Amino acid sequence: MRINKERLVMISVQGTIVKPEHSGRHAVAHDGKPFMLPGTGGITYNVKVGDPVFGWAADHVEPGVSTILDQEKRDSGQNRGYNFYACIGNEARVVSGDAKGAKGIVTGHHGGAEHVLIDFPDEVLEKLTLDDKILIKSFGQGLELLDYPDVHVYNIDPNLFEKLGIEEKDGKLFVPVVAVVPSYLMGSGIGSTSMGTGDYDIMTADQDVLKEHGLLDLRFGDIVYIKDYDNSYGRCYRKGAASIGVVIHSDCKYAGHGPGVTIFMTSAKPLIEPVLNPDANIGKILRIGRYRD
């Protein structure tokens, strides 16, 4: 597949580890029950790419290390720039503290929180502190499929993209995915036009529907196909469209929420087809998280 990899620019961006925040009060779940649980941010030691997204005593938990440009600049253009430039599969390097020099891999963007998520080995997690700085070699935004102008690609390092096992046949692209998500299950994030940052959620209030579509076994890092959803210029339902993304955060208890998906490929036209493959996980492809050698 021909891509414009040699025309992409690699630019450094640098962030810091997010200090977890919480109101200390109960919230209300989609079933009307109150809950008070850990959520986003920090260094998450025991939740990694490859782990199940369901079953944690948490809400919106982010695997690995959650980063942001600056805690005080969450809603600034600079932080949006940090989220935009960082792509799934990019190399991240610790540039301060006891873990200085250690390397990790970007695994996704979490919208709303505006976090960039990074996987590091256990020995690095043990050395990191919440004051450490992490530099990312951003590379990927601007990626194009030269023979498929109606297929848009965002948020992914081209070196990872080339390892996904996508096949071309009869003018279409066949993409290995773990599961197919019906459009009616997509929730929080619909209507966003920030295609180069963030994610949107697979709603999980109806467990029977999740079971029907094989979604209860989803893991962090899984690649999924979202049917009839166009992410070309905003997130919207469009019959025949398709979007491909990576599962980046856990299940959530709020109405309209669930495991988050960062989109990296989409078309408004019926040009993308799913090929079910249980190994379609960025952790397995990159040997990170639970799949680290």
Side-chain angles (χ1 to χ4, degrees):
M1 186 186 309
R2 297 193 311 131
I3 63 175
N4 66 336
K5 178 180 176 179
E6 72 284 354
R7 296 292 183 182
L8 302 181
V9 295
M10 183 180 290
I11 301 177
S12 65
V13 290
Q14 183 172 298
T16 189
I17 299 173
V18 179
K19 295 175 174 62
E21 299 177 355
H22 201 284
S23 69
R25 302 183 180 91
H26 284 87
V28 179
H30 57 72
D31 58 3
K33 296 178 180 177
F35 68 93
M36 187 167 55
L37 294 168
T40 62
I43 302 164
T44 306
Y45 297 98
N46 63 333
V47 182
K48 302 177 182 297
V49 169
D51 281 334
V53 298
F54 291 99
W56 299 98
D59 186 86
H60 287 85
V61 70
E62 300 165 333
V65 176
S66 305
T67 68
I68 196 169
L69 174 80
D70 185 281
Q71 201 87 1
E72 303 302 319
K73 297 180 180 179
R74 183 185 305 274
D75 298 320
S76 71
Q78 289 179 327
N79 189 54
R80 286 190 290 273
Y82 177 68
N83 278 255
F84 171 74
Y85 279 95
C87 291
I88 298 171
N90 283 171
E91 177 186 288
R93 178 167 53 90
V94 184
V95 294
S96 67
D98 292 344
K100 185 176 180 178
K103 293 181 179 180
I105 297 291
V106 174
T107 61
H109 307 147
H110 185 180
E114 309 307 331
H115 296 168
V116 173
L117 312 183
I118 305 173
D119 176 87
F120 285 102
D122 284 340
E123 59 270 23
V124 177
L125 298 181
E126 292 298 326
K127 294 179 180 179
L128 287 171
T129 73
L130 296 181
D131 295 318
D132 283 332
K133 305 292 185 181
I134 298 173
L135 182 142
I136 297 170
K137 288 185 176 179
S138 70
F139 189 49
Q141 299 295 24
L143 182 61
E144 294 180 2
L145 310 187
L146 298 178
D147 298 317
Y148 299 89
D150 293 311
V151 176
H152 302 274
V153 182
Y154 311 108
N155 308 325
I156 190 168
D157 190 302
N159 297 305
L160 171 57
F161 186 81
E162 292 178 320
K163 296 176 181 178
L164 298 180
I166 299 172
E167 295 185 355
E168 303 174 76
K169 184 179 179 182
D170 299 328
K172 293 187 176 184
L173 299 174
F174 291 78
V175 185
V177 298
V178 168
V180 173
V181 183
S183 60
Y184 57 79
L185 282 181
M186 299 313 297
S188 177
I190 290 174
S192 171
T193 56
S194 300
M195 310 319 303
T197 65
D199 65 310
Y200 70 139
D201 291 3
I202 302 169
M203 294 188 289
T204 53
D206 191 325
Q207 296 285 295
D208 290 338
V209 172
L210 297 178
K211 183 176 181 180
E212 176 186 346
H213 292 279
L215 300 176
L216 289 175
D217 296 324
L218 284 178
R219 296 177 178 272
F220 299 105
D222 277 351
I223 299 171
V224 297
Y225 177 100
I226 302 175
K227 186 177 180 181
D228 296 327
Y229 245 96
D230 178 21
N231 276 255
S232 299
Y233 306 106
R235 309 191 202 281
C236 60
Y237 175 86
R238 197 185 304 274
K239 188 70 174 178
S243 295
I244 307 287
V246 176
V247 177
I248 57 100
H249 69 64
S250 78
D251 186 26
C252 321
K253 296 185 180 297
Y254 291 107
H257 288 255
V261 182
T262 295
I263 299 300
F264 67 80
M265 187 177 184
T266 189
S267 179
K269 297 181 179 180
L271 299 174
I272 304 173
E273 296 290 340
V275 179
L276 292 177
N277 183 337
D279 293 325
N281 182 292
I282 64 166
K284 291 185 178 182
I285 296 168
L286 297 172
R287 308 307 301 173
I288 61 174
R290 295 299 180 192
Y291 308 107
R292 193 178 300 277
D293 292 332

